[in-house]
Each structure stands twice: as structure tokens, then as C-alpha cells.
Amino acid sequence: LRRTRPTGPREEATAARGNSIPASRPGDEGISFHFDFNAFRSRLRHPVLGMRADESQEPQSRVRAQREKVKEMMQFAWQSYKRYAMGKNELRPLTKDGYEGNMFGGLSGATVIDSLDTLYLMELKEEFQEAKAWVEESFHLNVSGEASLFEVNIRYIGGLLSAFYLTGEEVFRIKAIRLGEKLLPAFNTPTGIPKGVVSFKSGSWGWATAGSSSILAEFGSLHLEFLHLTELSGNQVFAEKVRNIRKVLRKIEKPFGLYPNFLSPVSGNWVQHHVSVGGLGDSFYEYLIKSWLMSGKTDMEAKNMYYEALEAIETYLLNVSPGGLTYIAEWRGGILDHKMGHLACFSGGMIALGAEDAKEEKRAHYRELAAQITKTCHESYARSDTKLGPEAFWFNSGREAVATQLSESYYILRPEVVESYMYLWRQTHNPIYREWGWEVVLALEKYCRTEAGFSGIQDVYSSTPSHDNKQQSFFLAETLKYLYLLFSEDDLLSLEDWVFNTEAHPLPVNHSDSSGRAWGRH
Ligand code: DMJ
């Protein structure tokens, strides 16, 4: 790839010209398609990094100090990763080494790719350059393992797309497209619903044999990234793949309007009737409302599917505990498990985000529902010794918002609760959300910070918890990013211009008045 001069966050708009770039090494071949980066940037309603208040006017303000603290945490997390695990997927802070895992099919550097946009928006310029240099020189796509389609999409494709849209650096666009192409064999199924696992081995049939059903949250969380792959490559194949998924889901009969978590990619039928807004289901719902927003509010199909699904969830899954806590239960063929996973706590933010475009008579209701669910998730944190929340919490046998067994009491640096605080803050400006976010910062510092990075903990109900020895890449992509945004002005990555994918990578809203390459007609 052509070497452009180093680009820092402040020089963002100068780098891209979006034309085809000659290749410098095999696999990096330029893509002969013009994406007009400057035209895209000129359509944004706000500067990417906001108007930046003159910091000399608020030198000692509390919120500024809070923001700086989160930035310092990101710097520490990055530097620890760089020192002990650069190029590996994730850092193991106790053993001070790297970890590759088995989700990425041989791809490396998940933490690098997941960190790019967070480093950029925090203006950690040197660190951003380190990350970019690694992508240019060491991020190789010639791997041959089996990968999770979902994880590669949300972390790698999402991270590369965001890095491109923020900086205009061609290396990110080209690698995103090339990696996207490697995911396409996963869609070679009778229905076009992709299997969860894709084999990168060249010449293989394309989809691995593991498992017989595909997972709603996985095949339902490709839409945002795949439309942008078409937008940046000019290749319709990406958009066609996700439009087909939408078509299958639109046509299939839904029990009581609910979407079960498992679907056969062979027959196109639901495999069992388990419904959840937490793991297995979660980001499918998120991508419906975000598809609507990202389309510049033209994708009516996504909008209708979202509000219909939310109505069914409210009717069949929503409950209020005897103690007055609102929660979304899980549904097994009509029987409820009165539990919420940490993952389900993103839904407060999602419902807040979607409230503004609901029917007028429902808007206030959805705002209140979002606030109540977020309050419940805060309770799951507040009721633990560490002030961090468990992986799952229950509402039964007189217990509320607490885990009932050790195997559900861990916290792995997940973002969903602070994600909801960020959306609720932007919607209401109620200071409680910053207070709650600050409680999380203090708890992370106290219980998760180790000498060599941040680690998850095994029991949130112990005041001396053991560490799990893993600094998850989503901690840098999401948890720290959402905390930073929570303590920043609303025009830093304004929600008028950006939607966050489910790994918190910002993707731009389509502000062009044409239907565009990717957006099509709805
Ligand atoms: C992240 O990879 C994403 O947020 C995903 O949607 C769910 N799981 C983790 C974070 O908890």
C-alpha cells in the first residue's frame, strides 16, 4: 500500500483520496473503486471530534478530570497490551503474555483493531500511530483457520471500517474489504443464512460443520458492516447477502411475534423456541433500529421490524419484580426464566435510542422503559461487593438483581451497562448516569486494574476477587470508549452522524440524498 504521511487525529481529513492504490505486497491489491471521502466528510453535520470546548475555560472541572481519568485507563490498557502481547489477539495481564483464542481463524491483533477508533477519539496520537503501523505492516489476511463470522465481523470489519471513516487512511478500507471477501463463503447455504463458523482455508467448501443451527444475534448482526463494505467497495455482493437474511426473517412465521434464537440455515425454520434479548438474541434487535438510523431513516422495513419485535418483547418478556425493578426475562416456549444476562443490559440504551422515532404516543413510554431497565442493571452492580455486575442476575425466591450461583458471578470487563448509561446520558442529561459511570470507573480501578493491564474478576460478590487473567479486546473498543463519551460533550461522535456497531465501532449515517450504492430502496 502507498505510504501516506503519518496521520494524527487532527489531520484526519487530509489523508484520503479514495482512489485505487497500487499493491505493495500480495493480498493488499488496490481496489479500483473511487470512494469520495471528502464528499462524505462534508456531509457530516458535526466535526467528528466535536467543537472541543476551550479547555482553558474549564481547567479543573470535574467532568474533564473524569474524562482524563478514562483516557489514562485506555493508555494504560494499550501500553500493557503493547508491552506484553503486541500482535496477539488479547493480553493476559497476570501471566504477562498474549492470547490468540480460537474465534478468529488465525487472524491476529484483535486488540489492535478494536482499539484504533478509541485511541483516535481520545487523541492518543502516538498510540494510534503504533496501532496503524501494526495494521500496515503485520496484519495479514492469509490465514486458514475456522473463524466466528460474527466476531470477525463486529471486531475486525467494524474496527477497520471505523478507522477508515475516521481517518481516510486507505489501508483500513482495503483490509476491511479483503477480509469481508473472505467471509463470503459462509453464506453458501441453501437459504443464504450463514453458518456461524467460516473456514478461511482456500478451496474449502466454505462453511464448517460445527453445530446445526445458526444464531439470531450472529447472522442478525452483519447488516451495518456489510452495507458499508458495499459502499466502500462498489461491490453489491455484501449488501445482497444481508438483504437476503432480512428477507428470510421477514417471511418466516414468528411465534407471538417473537424471534427465536436458533434457525436452521438448511431449512430456514426455527430450531427451538428460546427467545432472549441477552446472549444469542441481543444485537439482532440492536441492528434493526440502527439499520433504520444508519440509512438516514429510509429503511422502513428495519424500523417496522424493530418496533414490532419490541412490542412482542414487552408483551411476553417484560416483568416488574416485587421490589419494583423492571427486567426483560428469557422465554422458553412460553415459560419464563426470570433472569437477565449482563449482555441484555445494552437494551436500556437501545430502547432510549429508538424512543425518538416511535409513534408519538409511545415515545415517553419507551424513554421511561429505557430508564427503568438501566436502573435495574445499575442495581445489579450496586448490590455486589465490588460494585461491578455479575454475568447474569435473577428475580426469584425473594432475590432480586443478584446472581444465584458462583458460575454466574463473574465480570469480564463487559460494556453493556455503561453503554446504556452513555445513551441515557445523551438523551436526558440526568447527572445520575455520570455518577453511575464514575462508580464503574472506581470499581474497575480498584478490582480489575493489575500491574500489567486490566483483568476480569471471578466473583463480583467477593471484596478480594480472583482475576481471570484476560484483558478482553472489547474493554478497549467498548467499555472505555462508552465511558469516555459519557464524560464528553454530545457532539463528540454525534449520534446525528454515527451509529455504533455492536462492538462500539462508529459507522456513519448515510446523509447522501441519493439511494447510494449500498442503501438501495426500501
Ligand atoms: C462484545 O463483543 C459485543 O458487545 C457483543 O455484541 C457482545 N459481547 C461483547 C461484549 O460483552
Side-chain angles (χ1 to χ4, degrees), residues 150-151 154-155 282-283 343 414-416 474 478 502-503:
F150 167 78
E151 296 291 352
I154 67 168
R155 300 190 201 212
D282 49 7
S283 42
L343 290 166
R414 286 199 191 278
E416 292 77 17
F474 55 67
E478 299 191 74
T502 193
E503 189 79 358

Side-chain angles (χ1 to χ4, degrees), residues 114 150-151 154-155 221 282-283 286-287 342-343 391 412-416 419 473-475 478-479 482 501-504:
D114 253 356
F150 167 78
E151 296 291 352
I154 67 168
R155 300 190 201 212
S221 307
D282 49 7
S283 42
E286 174 186 354
Y287 272 39
H342 193 289
L343 290 166
E391 180 67 2
I412 58 167
L413 306 174
R414 286 199 191 278
E416 292 77 17
E419 176 181 349
S473 76
F474 55 67
F475 181 65
E478 299 191 74
T479 313
Y482 286 131
N501 88 339
T502 193
E503 189 79 358

Side-chain angles (χ1 to χ4, degrees), residues 268-343:
N269 294 323
W270 302 118
V271 174
Q272 47 169 277
H273 287 185
H274 177 221
V275 179
S276 165
V277 177
L280 305 176
D282 49 7
S283 42
F284 160 68
Y285 305 98
E286 174 186 354
Y287 272 39
L288 288 178
I289 188 64
K290 288 182 176 175
S291 293
W292 156 250
L293 295 170
M294 196 180 83
S295 70
K297 305 195 177 180
T298 59
D299 185 352
M300 290 298 295
E301 186 178 60
K303 180 185 185 190
N304 293 335
M305 285 170 77
Y306 171 75
Y307 290 111
E308 282 161 21
L310 188 56
E311 291 259 3
I313 288 164
E314 261 202 274
T315 308
Y316 297 102
L317 276 64
L318 196 75
N319 271 275
V320 180
S321 72
L325 297 179
T326 300
Y327 63 97
I328 305 181
E330 300 194 0
W331 192 86
R332 288 175 193 280
I335 315 257
L336 289 187
D337 278 345
H338 292 273
K339 87 171 202 202
M340 243 179 116
H342 193 289
L343 290 166

